[in-house]
Amino acid sequence: METNAAGGSKAGAAKTGDGVEDYSEVMSDPTFLRSVLENLPGVDPSSETVQNAMGSLLQQQEGDKGKEKEKKKEEEKKK
């Protein structure tokens, strides 16, 4: 993984219009999150608490995607 001079990761980051790095896509990747959790000392990625947190994140992301689709459909109807 490549890091920048400030010590931040460049992997998977996308620049927004204002030059700020957007990590939302990489942070929504369950495989990436699991690999991060596996490397944290004292964190058991297979624990019930971690599994529940991961499940909550995935459900939230699915809900957000559904809202975005509905918004796009409404905007297309207005055209």
Side-chain angles (χ1 to χ4, degrees):
M1 184 180 336
E2 193 175 331
T3 58
N4 62 20
S9 169
K10 289 185 180 180
K15 293 274 186 182
T16 61
D18 56 1
V20 176
E21 292 182 355
D22 179 15
Y23 291 96
S24 60
E25 186 174 328
V26 88
M27 293 303 293
S28 65
D29 179 6
T31 306
F32 172 76
L33 291 176
R34 179 171 292 282
S35 70
V36 169
L37 292 172
E38 288 173 348
N39 292 311
L40 293 174
V43 176
D44 179 11
S46 61
S47 75
E48 184 178 348
T49 304
V50 172
Q51 293 296 318
N52 289 340
M54 292 290 289
S56 295
L57 283 172
L58 293 174
Q59 287 177 349
Q60 182 181 9
Q61 291 166 2
E62 289 172 3
D64 290 345
K65 287 180 184 177
K67 288 178 185 177
E68 288 177 19
K69 286 181 182 179
E70 288 177 20
K71 205 178 216 183
K72 286 181 183 179
K73 286 181 183 178
E74 288 178 16
E75 288 175 4
E76 288 177 6
K77 288 180 182 179
K78 290 179 182 178
K79 291 182 180 180

